[in-house]
């Protein structure tokens, strides 16, 4: 198994990083089969989890979302500049 980076984005604040995670999650869930998209769709509507992610990012800790389909694992990561990924 190997990784293929699909891109990155520098956000100006933890809230903008969370917004980026939401947008990318929405893009992925729109493109994979509905059964595999369900965890991401649930995450998109989980306000408590968004607050948890924002708290991690604000505290300088990274946050990760992982989605799967039959052959691919999509890992979305937000972390402060200079932090380990």
């Amino acid at each position: 198994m190997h990784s293929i980076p699909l891109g990155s984005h520098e956000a100006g604040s933890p809230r903008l990083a969370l917004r980026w995670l939401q947008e990318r999650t929405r893009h992925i869930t729109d493109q994979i089969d509905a059964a595999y998209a369900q965890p991401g769709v649930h995450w998109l509507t989980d306000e408590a989890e968004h607050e948890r992610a924002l708290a991690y990012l604000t505290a300088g800790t990274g946050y990760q979302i992982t989605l799967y389909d039959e052959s691919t694992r999509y890992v979305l990561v937000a972390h402060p500049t200079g932090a380990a990924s």
Side-chain angles (χ1 to χ4, degrees):
M1 179 167 74
H2 63 280
S3 297
I4 302 171
L6 298 177
S8 64
H9 173 75
E10 190 169 324
S13 71
R15 191 165 299 280
L16 291 174
L18 176 60
R19 187 176 301 158
W20 177 84
L21 286 171
Q22 291 167 324
E23 290 172 5
R24 294 304 302 140
T25 299
R26 191 170 293 109
H27 292 156
I28 292 168
T29 58
D30 286 348
Q31 295 177 44
I32 60 178
D33 289 340
Y36 293 105
Q38 284 307 308
V41 171
H42 174 75
W43 183 85
L44 287 168
T45 61
D46 189 342
E47 292 297 323
E49 187 61 22
H50 296 166
E51 290 302 317
R52 181 172 165 246
L54 188 58
Y56 278 133
L57 295 169
T58 300
T61 302
Y63 184 83
Q64 175 177 309
I65 302 165
T66 304
L67 302 170
Y68 300 86
D69 69 9
E70 47 294 312
S71 62
T72 305
R73 179 174 55 179
Y74 304 89
V75 181
L76 302 172
V77 179
H79 58 83
T81 303
S85 6

